[in-house]
């Protein structure tokens, strides 16, 4: 057994609404020992992602919920420290699901080796990882962008939204991004979005209408709430809505008051022949090779850019997570756990 | 000009809620004269279909609304009486959009010749016409049935629902039909539905759960309302909802009270990775040949059956139409306009 300790952030209690500090607890435990066929990982970077809020709820979701009393789960860039696995050696860097802690034991399943000379290793948690692949697979399989169409995406400076917008532009679409006011210049000047909108604009619907003179053909849905309400009336016939997140609702504690707009939405789906489809990135695991080839290529060519919001120290993860749900981050949130 | 008169049912006023007699007016006009390239049609059979209620509303829909003061529109089986069209001759039978009247003039576009020796001519308005093709294209393109899956369809004795259920069974699915109590034996014994449910059952949700022990993979949505509410909780991951009609809502006059279930539906689409997609049959016009080949073949082989509800006399059309919206019909409603 290794000397030292394993720092962990424990899931202490389920949040009601926005998570608060008491939902998290700091703990230290012994460094675990890898069994037969297993590896010991030391986490260098931890990914913070909105989907984690869903796993904190008891409500049925596509993923198993986090377990109270255990370290929170999360994607990591990790170094293999000890290996009883034939294909992994100490010193290898892998993308893993190492969780909110210093060390983790894994059996090799789901570990993907990272070439640290190809791109900064943190991209394995962002543009070349789960968020980038969410953008790529949802947009191409469900959004089906065609040249000349208009795409709208919110949380557009986040790792999913930023990638969606840039791929849409590569496919010849007009990309309209919604984000916090401090991020709009970046979206327009750095990422090349055709139009940008302040998410807190008091006239969001009007701004969106002005930004989409030909209506909306693809709404990449990752937020819900006021953005969705502004988008729906502007959808063109045959519009597609890939739906991978609803961050505006993750902290909801009750069903909103009426009127009940569900029948109205169904009527709109009918009359406009919309396609609304939910997905999670693992539904498209078979396309991982295509994703790496395409997005990796666009990244090297400078056609796709990304930005990271690096938080220093595992103990800062809870605060950074709550801030991310509010949209305080600017780019993909990664926690530097240790070097 | 032909001697005689053209009896017409005129769209007199827009219904609010369920249509009433004063929304319709009887009129007689001169028999129209076909111009260059046109034909004069005498309508033998008029199709009554739920989508017509949508065209009576001012609300934007996929189709242009009916015009006040003009004859109501509708699909017909018609005989060519006079022809200035190179490909049509007097005596030809065609499927047309001749409307609620004895005679119509058409330019040849959209007319499809009918072979009266291949099948009863009225099937061109039902199982081999628009309703049958709605069932075929929506189920195969969006529903994507796979052997062993469970499909649910309401209005299951109507021409769309009955065809959906039978094609689903041909594809190896378990077909569950919802219809009026007087039609359930027919669905089960004649059409081969695996389970049937009375649409007015006071415990619709429980009945549906019992009929779908493995959940629901395809909900062919043509009604909305209480059936949809019973279906949603039973949907399996990756379920598909082809949406071609919402007859339970066509007479709605107001947005229903809360709570607002729209965000809840979006969350369900996300967590279950549902696909909900609206369509109208004309979106799949390119598949007309496939449809005729497949459904025509199944019909000849006795694998698909159909039933018609024939109403005698054009003047009965308004009453029959209102009855159809209530579900009083048993099978495809056609009005015998004249022989």
């Amino acid at each position: 057994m290794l000397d030292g300790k394993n720092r962990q952030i424990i899931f202490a209690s389920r949040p009601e609404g926005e998570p608060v500090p008491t939902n998290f607890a700091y703990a230290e435990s012994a460094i675990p020992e890898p069994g037969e066929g297993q590896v010991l990982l030391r986490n260098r970077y931890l990914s913070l992602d909105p989907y984690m809020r869903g796993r904190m709820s008891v409500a049925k979701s596509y993923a198993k919920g986090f377990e109270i009393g255990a370290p929170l789960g999360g994607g990591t860039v990790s170094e293999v420290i000890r290996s009883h696995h034939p294909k992994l050696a100490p010193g290898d860097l892998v993308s893993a699901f190492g969780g909110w802690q210093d060390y983790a034991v894994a059996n090799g399943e789901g570990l993907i080796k990272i070439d640290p000379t190809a791109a900064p290793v943190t991209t394995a948690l962002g543009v070349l990882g789960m968020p980038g692949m969410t953008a790529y697979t949802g947009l191409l399989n469900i959004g089906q962008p065609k040249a000349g169409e208009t795409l709208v995406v919110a949380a557009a400076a986040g790792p999913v939204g930023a990638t969606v917008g840039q791929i849409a532009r590569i496919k010849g679409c007009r990309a309209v991004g919604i984000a916090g006011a401090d991020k709009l210049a970046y979206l327009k000047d750095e990422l090349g979005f055709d139009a940008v909108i302040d998410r807190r604009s008091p006239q969001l619907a009007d701004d969106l209408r002005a930004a989409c003179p030909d209506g909306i053909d693809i709404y990449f849905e990752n937020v819900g709430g006021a953005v969705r309400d502004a988008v729906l009336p502007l959808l063109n016939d045959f519009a597609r809505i890939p739906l991978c997140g609803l961050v505006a609702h993750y902290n909801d504690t009750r069903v909103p008051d009426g009127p009940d707009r569900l029948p109205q939405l169904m009527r709109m789906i009918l009359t406009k022949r919309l396609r609304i489809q939910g997905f999670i990135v693992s539904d498209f695991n078979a396309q991982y090779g295509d994703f790496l080839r395409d997005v990796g290529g666009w990244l090297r060519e400078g056609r796709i850019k990304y930005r990271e919001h690096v938080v220093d120290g595992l103990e800062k993860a809870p605060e950074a997570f709550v801030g991310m749900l509010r949209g305080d981050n600017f780019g993909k949130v990664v926690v530097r756990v240790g070097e």
Side-chain angles (χ1 to χ4, degrees), chain A:
Chain A
M1 205 161 113
L2 277 186
D3 285 342
K5 59 191 185 184
N6 184 20
R7 300 176 304 153
Q8 301 178 311
I9 308 292
I10 303 290
F11 185 33
S13 62
R14 294 196 193 286
E16 298 191 15
E18 183 172 280
V20 294
T22 52
N23 300 134
F24 305 88
Y26 177 84
E28 295 181 357
S29 66
I31 297 172
E33 192 72 16
E36 202 181 318
Q38 292 186 325
V39 294
L40 175 66
L41 301 173
R42 190 164 65 81
N43 298 328
R44 289 193 176 184
Y45 292 96
L46 165 68
S47 180
L48 296 184
D49 300 282
Y51 78 83
M52 293 168 167
R53 178 63 186 84
R55 296 205 188 177
M56 293 179 173
S57 298
V58 277
K60 185 190 175 306
S61 185
Y62 39 73
K64 200 168 155 286
F66 290 141
E67 215 173 305
I68 296 281
L72 290 145
T76 52
V77 168
S78 308
E79 182 185 343
V80 176
I81 300 290
R82 290 189 180 184
S83 177
H84 303 313
H85 189 283
K87 295 189 173 160
L88 294 165
D92 281 352
L93 284 179
V94 293
S95 115
F97 205 74
W100 298 36
Q101 55 188 346
D102 283 316
Y103 293 92
V105 155
N107 63 11
E109 259 173 57
L111 300 186
I112 299 171
K113 274 200 215 183
I114 298 171
D115 175 1
T117 66
V121 296
T122 48
T123 57
L125 301 177
V127 65
L128 291 181
M130 183 275 288
M133 182 149 157
T134 299
Y136 175 86
T137 57
L139 180 60
L140 298 191
N141 289 281
I142 302 171
Q144 302 180 355
K146 287 176 269 302
E149 290 190 330
T150 297
L151 166 132
V152 171
V153 65
V160 176
T163 312
V164 163
Q166 293 177 91
I167 297 177
R169 293 205 78 246
I170 288 170
K171 297 293 178 185
C173 294
R174 174 179 174 80
V176 178
I178 301 169
D182 54 321
K183 297 158 190 165
L184 299 181
Y186 166 72
L187 290 181
K188 202 133 198 241
D189 302 339
E190 297 291 318
L191 302 191
F193 274 78
D194 297 283
V196 293
I197 296 168
D198 178 357
R199 74 184 183 106
R200 290 190 187 81
S201 164
Q203 68 260 349
L204 187 64
D206 293 341
D207 292 352
L208 193 62
R209 184 171 288 109
C212 303
D214 300 322
I216 298 170
D217 301 294
I218 306 170
Y219 172 48
F220 193 100
E221 172 66 299
N222 52 2
V223 298
V227 173
R228 177 204 56 227
D229 292 345
V231 163
L232 287 178
L234 299 176
L235 290 173
N236 291 328
D237 285 355
F238 304 107
R240 287 83 64 198
I241 304 185
L243 167 49
C244 70
L246 291 167
V247 72
H249 299 283
Y250 289 167
N251 290 335
D252 283 357
T253 51
R254 46 184 288 281
V255 180
D257 291 337
D260 180 12
R261 296 178 300 164
L262 188 153
Q264 207 176 10
L265 175 65
M266 294 300 277
R267 183 173 169 79
M268 183 184 285
I269 295 172
L270 172 61
T271 58
K272 293 188 176 182
R273 288 97 102 202
L274 306 180
R275 174 178 176 176
I276 306 185
Q277 186 170 347
F279 74 102
I280 59 173
V281 61
S282 56
D283 298 339
F284 297 109
N285 271 347
Q287 298 175 17
Y288 183 66
D290 296 341
F291 158 67
L292 273 192
R293 181 197 62 217
D294 287 349
V295 177
W298 292 328
L299 201 60
R300 282 190 296 277
E301 293 162 16
R303 299 176 77 187
I304 285 192
K305 295 174 183 164
Y306 67 95
R307 184 169 170 136
E308 288 174 345
H309 181 106
V310 181
V311 177
D312 245 310
L314 180 63
E315 69 284 2
K316 297 274 179 54
E319 186 190 331
F321 178 68
V322 175
M324 179 191 63
L325 292 179
R326 287 188 195 137
D328 294 346
N329 58 305
F330 193 163
K332 167 64 196 155
V333 184
V334 291
V335 177
R336 187 182 286 119
V337 180
E339 284 302 333

